[in-house]
């Protein structure tokens, strides 16, 4: 607990305000994502990112203090993408068909992780240090807050538990998705079990209301 309270989030030194700088910023992140997938976090260096992005190393350091900040920014990008999907899911709930909506949402996330290996590479990279874990936890918390809002009409009498439920659901889903794309794993089978687990858990909570 002490680490979380004393560790500052790892964020860019500044964000670009002009189009030219924004293009460089985005290019460096795209190159970093490809390099991370190619060589792994331990072997990824800021020097190689700058070289592949065709920018001076000083330009990279204007935005990013080190590679830990870079992977945290990649994690933020992935979080923002999922947030947009959650907005769409939330707009359709409450609905009698929410179990099917949940399954489609999980299928969509699973497809992203299957076809984009950088998702798992980023997720693993942000587990590397206390500072990256603390920053990733903030991104995860942002998702959990959205899920908490989505859960509200399904669990109207579980207000005190809902925050914990949401955080647990988000963490479980991403852990399972990472597991599903490991070499040798039955991806389809893992995703099917994830959908059963999530759907069964929420149906049980909904059943408490109906009972």
């Amino acid at each position: 607990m002490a680490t979380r309270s004393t560790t500052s989030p790892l964020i860019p030194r500044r964000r670009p305000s002009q189009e030219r700088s924004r293009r460089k910023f985005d290019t460096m992140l795209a190159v970093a994502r490809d390099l991370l997938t190619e060589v792994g976090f331990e072997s990824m260096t800021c020097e190689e990112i700058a070289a592949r992005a065709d920018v001076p190393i000083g330009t990279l350091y204007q935005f990013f203090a080190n590679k830990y900040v870079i992977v945290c920014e990649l994690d933020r990008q992935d979080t923002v993408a999922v947030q947009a999907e959650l907005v769409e899911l939330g707009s359709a709930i409450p609905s009698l068909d929410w179990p099917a909506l949940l399954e489609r949402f999980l299928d969509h996330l699973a497809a992203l992780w299957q076809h984009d290996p950088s998702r798992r590479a980023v997720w693993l990279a942000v587990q590397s240090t206390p500072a990256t874990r603390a920053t990733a936890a903030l991104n995860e918390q942002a998702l959990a807050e959205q899920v908490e809002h989505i859960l509200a009409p399904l669990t109207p009498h579980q207000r005190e538990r809902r925050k914990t439920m949401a955080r647990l659901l988000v963490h479980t889903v991403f852990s399972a998705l990472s597991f599903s794309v490991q070499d040798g794993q039955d991806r389809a089978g893992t995703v099917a079990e994830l959908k059963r687990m999530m759907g069964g858990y929420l149906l049980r909570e909904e059943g408490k209301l109906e009972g």
Side-chain angles (χ1 to χ4, degrees):
M1 296 298 294
T3 299
R4 181 168 291 184
S5 62
T6 58
T7 301
S8 299
L10 299 181
I11 59 176
R13 284 173 163 155
R14 68 181 182 89
R15 295 190 181 278
S17 57
Q18 298 181 347
E19 180 63 27
R20 182 179 178 185
S21 295
R22 193 155 41 244
R23 285 198 301 269
K24 290 181 180 179
F25 185 87
D26 292 343
T27 297
M28 287 185 286
L29 287 174
V31 166
R33 186 178 289 274
D34 290 342
L35 187 60
L36 178 63
T37 305
E38 179 184 331
V39 304
F41 182 63
E42 291 299 322
S43 298
M44 186 180 81
T45 66
C46 289
E47 290 76 11
E48 182 64 17
I49 294 169
R52 293 193 183 194
D54 195 26
V55 299
I57 188 64
T59 298
L60 183 145
Y61 285 132
Q62 286 178 14
F63 297 102
F64 308 107
N66 50 51
K67 68 178 184 178
Y68 301 97
V69 177
I70 292 174
V71 295
C72 286
E73 183 63 14
L74 292 175
D75 186 57
R76 191 194 70 81
Q77 283 186 336
D78 291 346
T79 299
V80 169
V82 176
Q83 285 179 307
E85 300 290 341
L86 281 173
V87 168
E88 184 175 346
L89 176 64
S91 67
I93 293 177
S95 165
L96 293 177
D97 199 30
W98 70 259
L101 296 173
L102 175 64
E103 286 203 5
R104 286 200 293 271
F105 175 69
L106 292 174
D107 279 333
H108 176 71
L109 289 185
L112 288 178
W113 278 62
Q114 179 187 10
H115 300 299
D116 181 3
S118 75
R119 297 272 175 162
R120 182 168 187 263
V122 170
W123 189 82
L124 291 174
V126 294
Q127 312 304 319
S128 59
T129 71
T132 55
R133 287 193 295 273
T135 305
L138 293 176
N139 292 332
E140 194 171 279
Q141 181 179 334
L143 293 176
E145 288 171 357
Q146 282 185 271
V147 172
E148 184 180 355
H149 178 74
I150 293 170
L151 289 177
L154 301 178
T155 60
H157 301 305
Q158 302 296 345
R159 186 172 182 177
E160 292 185 0
R161 292 177 53 220
R162 201 178 296 136
K163 179 177 291 187
T164 300
M165 291 169 64
R167 297 194 71 168
L168 180 61
L169 287 169
V170 170
H171 191 76
T172 299
V173 165
F174 284 106
S175 297
L177 290 175
S178 177
F179 178 78
S180 74
V181 294
Q182 289 182 21
D183 291 341
Q185 294 300 331
D186 177 5
R187 190 200 67 83
T190 300
V191 173
E193 290 302 322
L194 174 64
K195 290 190 290 187
R196 291 189 188 98
M197 183 168 60
M198 295 294 102
Y201 176 70
L202 292 175
L203 281 169
R204 180 175 181 271
E205 294 302 321
E206 189 181 45
K208 289 180 181 179
L209 172 63
E210 294 174 353

